[in-house]
Amino acid sequence: MIVATAALAIGLGQAAAVVEGRVLDDRGVPLAGASVVLAGGAPPGVHPAMTTEDGSFTVAGLAPATYTLTIAKAGYPTIEYGQPRPGSRGTLLELKSGQALTLELRLPRGAAISGQIVDEYGNGAAGQRVIVLRSTPTGWSQLRNRYVTPSPRGDFRLYGLAAGTYRLVALSRDAPNESALSAEGVSVSVSAGDEHEGVTLLALSASKTTSVTLNPVGGTPEQLRYPRTELRRPGAERAQFPYGTRNPDGSITFSGVPAGSYKAIVLAGGLWGAVDIVVDGEHASTIPIPMNRAGRMRGRVVFAGTSPPPRRLSLHLVASDLDGIVTGESNSLAQVGGDGTFTIPTIPGRFLLRIVGGSPDGTWRLASAVHAEIDFADAPLTIDRVEIADVVVTLTDETTVVEGSVQLASGAPANGRVVLLYPADPRQRTRNSRRIDSAVTTLDGKYEIRGLPAGQYAMAVLDELDREALKDPAALAALTPLATLTLTPGKTTTQNVTVKW
Amino acid sequence: MRLMVELILLVAGVLGAGQAPDGTAIVRGRVVNAVTGKPLRGVTVRFTPPFESNRYRPPKRIATSDAGGSFELTALIAGEYSVSASPAGDYLEARFGQRAAGGGGRSLHVVDQARLDITLGAWPAARLSGRVIDEQGRRVVDARLILVTRHGGTVDSAATDDRGEYEFARLAPGDYAVGVPINLTSRTIKSASPPRAPGAYEPAFQPYLLDRAGRTILTTYGAPLPPPARDGQPSVYITSFYGAGGFGDARYIELVAGQSRGGVDVVLRDRPARRVSGVATTPTGPVPGIVLVLSTDERTPWYVSDQITATASADGSFVFVGVPDGSYRLTAYKRNPPFTEVSFAGAAPMIAQDDYVMGDKDVLHASLPFTVTGDQDGVDVFLQPGTPIGGRIILQDGTTPAFGNQPPRFTLLSTQDGRFSRTAPYIEIAPDGTFSGHARPGSYVLDASGQVRGWSFTAARANGMAVEGRTIEVGDTPVALELTYSRGVTALRGYVSDTRGSLTRDASILVFPTDETTWDADGAANVIRYELPRRVAFDIPGLMTGDYYVVAIDETAGLVSRVPAGLRSLVPLATPVRIEPGEPVTVNLVMRDRPGR
C-alpha cells in the first residue's frame, strides 16, 4: 500500500528511492525513538520515520529529488544531516531514481548545565528565571524557548544543549528579556553528553518600588482623553512600563515602579509631554507634565516614474536613536492628499522618514526625503522647531533586485543560509536604516532581495540572523563581507557566493 | 447604627484621596516560619490595595526582610491592604491573618499616623517528586504531568527533564494524584505544503507520524511518541496516573505541611497505534470543519482523560492516524471556522493556535459508541443538525420588545459532561425579541442572568408548559420557548460583620442557586457567583430571577472548594434568598467559619 500510494507522486519511468540506516549517539550507542525526517522532493512533502529499538529506520517511496534530513529526539539537540557544527545548516541529500541509500547517522547527546540561583545571603532564590544565550558569529543570541524557571530552592537544570558556549543570566520576574544581553552572567562551554554541575548565579535583590502619577498640565479634557503614556529607562528601546492606569481626574498612575531614572512620556490629541524623573522607590510621587502642542512638517510628494500613482500613501517618522521622546515609530503619521501635499504632526527628536502603502504590490518606493539639503530617508533630521516646511519626498517606481545563489565549495547548494546586505559605508549603518535587508536561501541555494535603495552594499552570509543584534552598528562592523556590490534602480544584480560550511 | 457609621468611615478611608497623597503610616513586621518561628530573611513582602474600579487606589508597596526577618515600610498611605510574602525555598505564600497552611488572608487596615507591628507566618510547603518511565523502564523526557486534588481541578503542571525526573513544589497540605494526560491529534496537511528551507525562525521540533496517504499527521501532547516496535508498528502512550492505570485508578497521596515525598514514579503505558479512517457527512453532504473526538470513560473529567481528535478534510474524509485499541464514544461536531491545516518549516510541523471560534449555527453533532480493535477503514459518521429551538421574549407590560442592537442574552448550559461543550446550543436573538437556533438533544440549565435596558428575566414556558426551576429538556421535536421579562433589575446587597458585630471585608461571599442540578452544568461558573474584590458592603447585580443561597465565609483556615461537594457543605451555613426584579434584596451576613473538611 505504501509503495502504491507513493508511486502516484513519482513520475512515469522513475522508481522510488529508499533511505534506510541507523541513528547512533556520539558514543555509537543506537538510539530508539529518534525522528528522522526527509523534507523536500517534487511534489514537496515530508517523509518522517522513527527509529526502533536497535536504532534502525526506513523511509521508502521517495521521489528522486533533493531533500533535507533532520534528526530529532526529546532531550537531544535537533540536527540536520551534514551540518559542520551545531547550529549551522546542513547539506542536501540528492536521491536518484530507484536508489537505496544506507546511512549511519549520528545524533550527539545533549549537554546539561545545572546549578542554583542564590541571593545575597547565599540562600536559594525563587522568583527568578534563567535566560540562556548562545555564542554565535554575530554575538550572543538568546535561545528561544530556552528559559528556565528554577525550583523554589533556586535549583535549575538546562538540558538537550548542543555543544557550544553558553551564557546564563538570572533575571527577576519583571525584568525584560533584552536586559539579559547586557548582564554579565556565567559562561559555560559544553560538549556532547557533558554534565556541567554547580553553576551559581547571583540573584539581584528585589528593588524597592513605589507608584508614580503623571499629571498632564495644559490641554483640554477632550485632547487628553486617550493618552499614550509610558515610563522608559534612559537608553532603553522599549518602555519598562508601557502604559499606566488612567484615574478619573485625568492623571495616570504607574504602580510597582523600582527606584531609578526614567523618561516619563505623555502623548495625546496633538499634544506631547516628556519629563526626566528619578524615582526613589519609597515615596509615591505626582509629577506635573507640561503638555506642548505638536509641531508640523509640510511638504509634497514627487512621483519620479511612469506607473500610475498609488491610491493610498502615508508617510511617517521613525526615531533614529534611543534617547528621544519616542524610540520606534512615532505617532507622526499622515496621509498624502490628492494634490501630493502632506502635513505630518511632529514632536522634537531625530527622525527618519518612511512610507506606508505605495500600492498593493509596492510599486512605489521611497527614493529620498529632503529638507535643507538633508536626505532624512537615510540621515536623521533633527526636529527642534514647530514648523518645518518645503520637504520634498521623492518616490520611484524603479526597484533594485539582487539575486543569486549560495553554494558550498563542493558545488552543492547551501540551503537555509541567511544572505545579509548592509551599507558598505559605515556612516549609513544607522539604527532603523532602510539599507539593511536579508533573505534565506531556498533548498536549491537561491535567494532574492528586492527594493533596497540604490547604492553600495556589502554582503555577508550567516547561519542565523539575530535581528536585535544587527541593530547595533558594531555587530555589522564585526561581519566579514563576502562581496561588495552596487545596486542600480531598474537593474537586476546577480551575485553568487561560495561559503566554506 | 454604630455599624453604619463605621461603614462610612471605612469607605471614606479607602476612597477619600483623589490625588496621590504622601503617606504617614509606618508598618513594621517580621516574616517567620509559621511552625518553628525561625526568622526568614531576604523575603519580599507585598502590600497590595484592593482593586476599586474607577477610583484612586494607593500604590502597591514592597519591602524586604533583613537578616532577622524584620521589615519596615514607611510613608505608607492610609487604606486597606492585603499583605503577602513569598519566601524562597519550600514555603507557601504567607498572608496576613492566615490561620492555617493554604488559607486566605485578612486585610490590614492602615490609618494615617498608624504604627503597626505585624507578623507573617509562612507555612512549610510540601513537595512531591518522581520519575516518568514507560512499561519498558525507559525514562520519558519532556513528559507533562498534572497534579489533581480530590475535590476538583488541576492545581499545577510540571515536566520531566532529560533524566525523566519531575517535581511539584510549594504544595499546601492535601491529597494529590499525579499523572500524564495524553492528547493525540490527527490534523490534515495543507494540500501543497512545500517544506521551506529552515530559516531564522524554526518551531521547536516535535515528533509526529505521517499517515500513509500523506494527508494527515499525528502529533501528541503530554509525552513524545514512544519508539515503534521492532516490526515498525507505531505505538502511542496513553493517559497514565501514579498507582497504575488511568485517572479512575489513580492513587491519592496525602501530604502534610513540610513533607517531601519522593519516588512517585508514573508508569506511562504504551499501546499499538491503530488507523481508523472514514468519511463524515451531514444531511447536506460533506461540510468543512468537521472534528471527530474519541473519548474513553464517560465519567472522567476531560482534563485527565485521553483526548483523541481528528480533523476531517473539506470532503469529509478523516483519519485517526494512531488510536490505541479500546472502547470509546465517538463524537463529532462542526468547528467554525475550521482548524487551519498543518504546514511545515523544514521538517518541523507548524500548527496554528486556532483560538477563534464562532460556533456552529446548525449545531451539527454525532455521538455513537465505538470500539477499536486493529486498523479500521470505511467508518461512516453522520452528523445531524440540532433540534430547532424558537421562541420569543415577552415583556410583562404587554408592549412589543424593541431592544435595538442590545437584545437580552440567554444561554442553555448542558448538564452533561464537558465532552459535549463543542456542541453548545446556538441561538440568535433579534432586536424584536424573537429568537431561533438549534440545540443537541439533552438536558439544559437556562441561564438568563444579566439585564438589558432595565428588563430582567422572570419566567419561562417551554411548549406551553411552565418551566419549573431552570431545567429545559430538548428532545427530537422542535422546542417553542417563551421567556417573560419584567421591568426592573435584580440586585443582592448587604454588608458583612464578624461574630462580634464589627464590619469586615475578610469574608468570601458566595451566591449559588438552590437547585443542585445547576452546580455541575457545563459553564456553571455563570450561575455560581462570588464577590471579588472582597468588600465590607457587597452589591451583586444581574442575578437571574430565582432562589439562591448566599453565604459569607472566613477562608483564612483554608479555601472552600467551589465544586458541588463544597457547595453542599455550605448550605447549612447559608441564607436562602429569592431574587426578583424590582427592589434590591438586602441581606446582612455574619461571617461564618468554613465548614470542617
Side-chain angles (χ1 to χ4, degrees):
Chain A
M1 186 62 197
I2 291 170
V3 175
T5 316
L8 292 175
I10 294 164
L12 286 173
Q14 294 190 317
V18 179
V19 176
E20 56 186 10
R22 289 204 303 164
V23 177
L24 311 173
D25 75 7
D26 53 290
R27 301 165 302 181
V29 177
L31 289 181
S35 288
V36 177
V37 186
L38 280 92
V46 288
H47 308 268
M50 192 174 277
T51 58
T52 57
E53 282 307 322
D54 61 357
S56 63
F57 70 91
T58 305
V59 185
L62 296 162
T66 53
Y67 296 87
T68 62
L69 191 158
T70 304
I71 315 161
K73 178 174 164 67
Y76 290 71
T78 299
I79 65 162
E80 270 182 47
Y81 174 74
Q83 72 183 29
R85 56 190 168 84
S88 66
R89 296 273 78 94
T91 52
L92 293 179
L93 207 55
E94 189 164 357
L95 296 179
K96 300 194 170 56
S97 176
Q99 186 180 3
L101 184 65
T102 304
L103 295 173
E104 188 168 281
L105 301 169
R106 293 278 173 156
L107 180 59
R109 287 167 299 157
I113 303 174
S114 58
Q116 194 186 24
I117 306 183
V118 296
D119 63 16
E120 56 199 299
Y121 303 105
N123 294 331
Q128 309 263 327
R129 64 209 151 99
V130 181
I131 302 286
V132 188
L133 306 164
R134 186 164 65 87
S135 175
T136 74
T138 48
W140 292 100
S141 165
Q142 191 183 325
L143 290 194
R144 272 178 285 270
N145 311 324
R146 274 279 175 207
Y147 67 87
V148 182
T149 309
S151 80
R153 297 171 301 286
D155 302 323
F156 65 88
R157 180 181 177 83
L158 284 152
Y159 59 89
L161 297 171
T165 302
Y166 297 89
R167 197 167 92 206
L168 277 55
V169 176
L171 286 186
S172 68
R173 218 180 321 203
D174 45 1
N177 278 358
E178 297 91 272
S179 56
L181 279 170
S182 55
E184 195 173 329
V186 173
S187 293
V188 178
S189 291
V190 289
S191 22
D194 273 2
E195 182 77 36
H196 192 105
E197 295 171 336
V199 173
T200 301
L201 299 176
L202 189 64
L204 302 170
S205 57
S207 47
K208 289 181 168 182
T209 68
T210 183
S211 79
V212 174
T213 298
L214 306 183
N215 197 6
V217 179
T220 65
E222 282 300 302
Q223 288 173 307
L224 293 169
R225 179 160 292 170
Y226 303 107
R228 179 184 140 191
T229 59
E230 62 180 45
L231 295 185
R232 200 173 73 235
R233 294 271 202 198
E237 176 161 8
R238 269 169 233 132
Q240 191 145 9
F241 294 86
Y243 41 83
T245 308
R246 195 170 172 277
N247 300 315
D249 65 356
S251 61
I252 302 107
T253 299
F254 296 85
S255 291
V257 182
S261 302
Y262 297 89
K263 199 174 269 295
I265 292 148
V266 179
L267 301 174
L271 303 175
W272 63 270
V275 171
D276 291 322
I277 61 170
V278 175
V279 175
D280 70 354
E282 195 135 354
H283 297 85
S285 48
T286 298
I287 293 148
I289 306 271
M291 299 300 291
N292 309 285
R293 272 203 25 223
R296 59 182 181 170
M297 171 185 286
R298 290 183 297 161
R300 64 194 166 88
V301 176
V302 176
F303 294 97
T306 51
S307 304
R311 269 173 301 161
R312 187 170 293 191
L313 179 71
S314 297
L315 307 179
H316 68 128
L317 297 172
V318 177
S320 66
D321 38 40
L322 297 176
D323 49 12
I325 295 166
V326 292
T327 53
E329 292 182 10
S330 65
N331 276 2
S332 303
L333 181 93
Q335 202 154 319
V336 177
D339 60 353
T341 63
F342 61 84
T343 304
I344 307 176
T346 60
I347 55 176
R350 282 158 53 79
F351 292 94
L352 299 164
L353 188 124
R354 293 289 175 261
I355 67 168
V356 185
S359 93
D361 57 353
T363 310
W364 291 98
R365 291 166 193 284
L366 179 64
S368 62
V370 177
H371 173 73
E373 293 180 359
I374 292 174
D375 179 357
F376 62 110
D378 287 315
L381 176 73
T382 301
I383 296 179
D384 51 5
R385 282 164 295 142
V386 173
E387 189 80 29
I388 291 177
D390 302 325
V391 173
V392 179
V393 174
T394 308
L395 270 58
T396 172
D397 61 353
E398 290 195 315
T399 183
T400 66
V401 180
V402 187
E403 59 174 38
S405 62
V406 181
Q407 60 180 30
L408 300 170
S410 65
N415 65 296
R417 305 308 199 271
V418 179
V419 177
L420 177 73
L421 286 178
Y422 57 100
D425 181 352
R427 286 170 301 178
Q428 288 185 326
R429 295 172 191 167
T430 58
R431 222 179 131 264
N432 287 329
S433 166
R434 63 186 181 130
R435 292 177 180 270
I436 299 173
D437 203 356
S438 65
V440 178
T441 59
T442 55
L443 288 175
D444 50 6
K446 291 198 161 49
Y447 74 91
E448 183 190 76
I449 296 174
R450 303 178 78 89
L452 279 169
Q456 289 253 320
Y457 288 86
M459 179 199 249
V461 177
L462 310 170
D463 277 353
E464 57 192 305
L465 185 68
D466 192 327
R467 286 181 199 284
E468 287 299 312
L470 283 182
K471 284 184 177 169
D472 182 5
L476 293 173
L479 298 174
T480 313
L482 294 178
T484 307
L485 48 164
T486 305
L487 302 192
T488 316
K491 239 189 85 182
T492 297
T493 308
T494 303
Q495 183 68 53
N496 299 324
V497 289
T498 301
V499 292
K500 289 198 207 75
W501 32 269
Chain B
M1 198 58 210
R2 191 180 67 84
L3 282 177
M4 289 316 292
V5 172
E6 202 171 330
L7 172 67
I8 290 160
L9 284 178
L10 264 175
V11 172
V14 180
L15 313 176
Q19 283 278 327
D22 213 8
T24 55
I26 297 173
V27 177
R28 294 194 180 87
R30 291 181 79 213
V31 188
V32 299
N33 179 317
V35 176
T36 64
K38 187 188 120 191
L40 300 173
R41 62 184 177 182
V43 182
T44 303
V45 182
R46 292 186 156 78
F47 283 63
T48 313
F51 177 76
E52 306 272 0
S53 65
N54 212 24
R55 288 165 184 172
Y56 176 77
R57 67 189 199 132
K60 193 163 92 179
R61 293 286 301 273
I62 288 173
T64 304
S65 67
D66 63 16
S70 300
F71 65 89
E72 184 184 73
L73 265 187
T74 57
L76 192 64
I77 296 168
E80 297 281 331
Y81 293 90
S82 63
V83 184
S84 64
S86 298
D90 291 311
Y91 288 98
L92 295 169
E93 184 182 65
R95 303 182 181 119
F96 172 72
Q98 188 177 41
R99 286 187 293 156
R106 292 191 193 288
S107 49
L108 179 70
H109 183 52
V110 178
V111 295
D112 277 325
Q113 307 292 341
R115 298 290 179 268
L116 300 176
D117 205 332
I118 63 174
T119 299
L120 291 168
W123 293 82
R127 63 181 147 122
L128 191 154
S129 62
R131 291 188 307 155
V132 177
I133 50 173
D134 66 11
E135 287 169 312
Q136 282 74 46
R138 295 176 293 218
R139 66 194 173 191
V140 182
V141 182
D142 292 347
R144 306 188 69 86
L145 300 103
I146 60 165
L147 187 70
V148 184
T149 58
R150 217 186 264 282
H151 290 298
T154 308
V155 288
D156 204 356
S157 62
T160 55
D161 64 16
D162 56 325
R163 301 165 299 187
E165 296 176 4
Y166 74 89
E167 182 188 81
F168 288 102
R170 292 219 160 122
L171 301 178
D175 291 351
Y176 296 98
V178 59
V180 180
I182 303 286
N183 292 3
L184 299 170
T185 307
S186 297
R187 283 179 74 157
T188 46
I189 298 175
K190 266 198 166 108
S191 46
S193 178
R196 291 190 284 119
Y201 172 74
E202 285 170 56
F205 189 93
Q206 54 173 141
Y208 57 95
L209 292 179
L210 180 71
D211 182 57
R212 66 183 184 219
R215 289 278 294 122
T216 316
I217 68 164
L218 171 78
T219 56
T220 160
Y221 184 86
L225 287 162
R230 205 166 280 273
D231 62 0
Q233 166 75 41
S235 40
V236 288
Y237 288 124
I238 59 172
T239 296
S240 307
F241 272 74
Y242 171 68
F247 177 68
D249 312 314
R251 207 150 92 208
Y252 283 87
I253 298 159
E254 191 191 341
L255 296 176
V256 299
Q259 185 179 355
S260 175
R261 171 74 189 267
V264 182
D265 292 349
V266 176
V267 180
L268 261 185
R269 302 167 293 165
D270 66 88
R271 297 286 180 270
R274 311 299 185 189
R275 179 184 200 269
V276 175
S277 71
V279 175
T281 52
T282 74
T284 58
V287 295
I290 300 295
V291 180
L292 299 102
V293 183
L294 286 171
S295 40
T296 48
D297 191 340
E298 308 198 355
R299 291 151 304 165
T300 305
W302 62 270
Y303 54 85
V304 286
S305 68
D306 296 87
Q307 291 276 299
I308 306 175
T309 58
T311 55
S313 304
D315 65 2
S317 61
F318 67 87
V319 183
F320 285 96
V321 178
V323 183
D325 288 339
S327 294
Y328 297 95
R329 176 156 290 273
L330 173 62
T331 56
Y333 67 97
K334 182 190 171 202
R335 191 183 194 275
N336 181 27
F339 279 115
T340 51
E341 298 186 328
V342 176
S343 60
F344 291 88
M350 295 213 297
I351 297 176
Q353 281 292 329
D354 287 322
D355 47 5
Y356 181 64
V357 186
M358 289 186 284
D360 170 24
K361 281 186 182 185
D362 300 321
V363 191
L364 290 163
H365 66 280
S367 176
L368 55 143
F370 194 80
T371 302
V372 178
T373 49
D375 291 354
Q376 200 169 339
D377 294 326
V379 176
D380 288 328
V381 177
F382 191 69
L383 284 83
Q384 296 275 9
T387 302
I389 292 190
R392 61 196 181 110
I393 287 169
I394 297 170
L395 300 184
Q396 206 173 35
D397 68 357
T399 58
T400 308
F403 293 112
N405 58 2
Q406 262 194 320
R409 307 246 159 249
F410 66 91
T411 48
L412 298 176
L413 309 173
S414 174
T415 58
Q416 288 169 38
D417 65 75
R419 282 178 302 142
F420 293 109
S421 63
R422 302 293 194 180
T423 48
Y426 189 100
I427 295 166
E428 282 180 349
I429 307 160
D432 66 354
T434 59
F435 54 83
S436 63
H438 291 90
R440 184 178 46 77
S443 289
Y444 294 92
V445 170
L446 173 69
D447 175 15
S449 51
Q451 51 238 329
V452 171
R453 301 188 176 194
W455 293 93
S456 299
F457 168 84
T458 41
R461 293 171 76 80
N463 294 330
M465 307 274 286
V467 173
E468 295 297 326
R470 298 172 161 207
T471 305
I472 292 174
E473 299 291 340
V474 176
D476 295 329
T477 52
V479 178
L481 267 185
E482 283 179 351
L483 304 182
T484 304
Y485 278 65
S486 299
R487 183 62 83 181
V489 298
T490 69
L492 176 62
R493 291 177 185 168
Y495 55 84
V496 187
S497 55
D498 61 23
T499 46
R500 295 184 316 249
S502 302
L503 286 172
T504 176
R505 66 187 309 153
D506 294 331
S508 300
I509 298 160
L510 255 83
V511 185
F512 51 100
T514 54
D515 178 2
E516 284 199 22
T517 57
T518 65
W519 297 353
D520 222 0
D522 188 28
N526 296 332
V527 292
I528 301 161
R529 301 266 292 264
Y530 53 97
E531 180 71 348
L532 276 176
R534 295 180 297 175
R535 297 193 183 128
V536 171
F538 63 90
D539 184 355
I540 302 173
L543 288 166
M544 179 177 157
T545 297
D547 292 316
Y548 292 84
Y549 290 120
V550 55
V551 62
I553 333 153
D554 180 354
E555 291 191 309
T556 54
L559 305 183
V560 173
S561 162
R562 268 65 162 161
V563 299
L567 297 180
R568 209 164 287 127
S569 72
L570 295 178
V571 169
L573 309 176
T575 307
V577 288
R578 165 150 274 248
I579 300 293
E580 281 171 342
E583 281 297 296
V585 178
T586 300
V587 182
N588 296 329
L589 301 170
V590 176
M591 180 166 71
R592 311 292 296 260
D593 222 341
R594 90 178 174 130
R597 300 204 312 144

